[in-house]
Amino acid sequence: MADKSPLDNPENAAHAWARYRQIMKLLLVVTIATVTVALALLYAFNGMVSVHYFIAVALGIAFTMLLSGGLMGLAFLSNGTGHDEAVDNRLPQADELFGRRDRD
């Protein structure tokens, strides 16, 4: 039987999610700064190529940073709150699944 998760406690969950939102806000600021620097460098070295080029670069960088940062933040949230230890992930032994190998 799986243990109760610390996130089942509303007080712990509120603190954990507030911390996650704070990290995501910081990540958003870092993402905006990174996109701005990248677009400035692209403009400085290439000039005005196409507006679609700059939009694609900005969206690609922003989407990649926010998605990877958000997923990594969720992994840290899950591990940091003790939610991972509450999961019952015991798998059956190979003998239980496939039978004994010495019969072959």
Side-chain angles (χ1 to χ4, degrees), residues 48-102:
M48 188 61 187
V49 179
S50 169
V51 70
H52 299 101
Y53 174 72
F54 290 104
I55 292 171
V57 167
L59 289 176
I61 293 171
F63 180 74
T64 302
M65 287 184 67
L66 291 174
L67 180 66
S68 60
L71 292 174
M72 195 166 28
L74 287 174
F76 289 146
L77 177 130
S78 177
N79 185 34
T81 59
H83 183 71
D84 288 350
E85 287 82 23
V87 175
D88 181 15
N89 60 355
R90 291 174 295 185
L91 296 174
Q93 297 295 322
D95 291 343
E96 295 172 358
L97 289 175
F98 306 112
R100 294 185 54 98
R101 298 201 89 199
D102 59 358

Side-chain angles (χ1 to χ4, degrees), residues 16-30:
W17 285 111
R19 185 169 159 234
Y20 177 75
R21 281 190 296 273
Q22 182 182 14
I23 291 170
M24 287 304 295
K25 287 176 187 174
L26 177 65
L27 180 63
L28 180 64
V29 170
V30 170

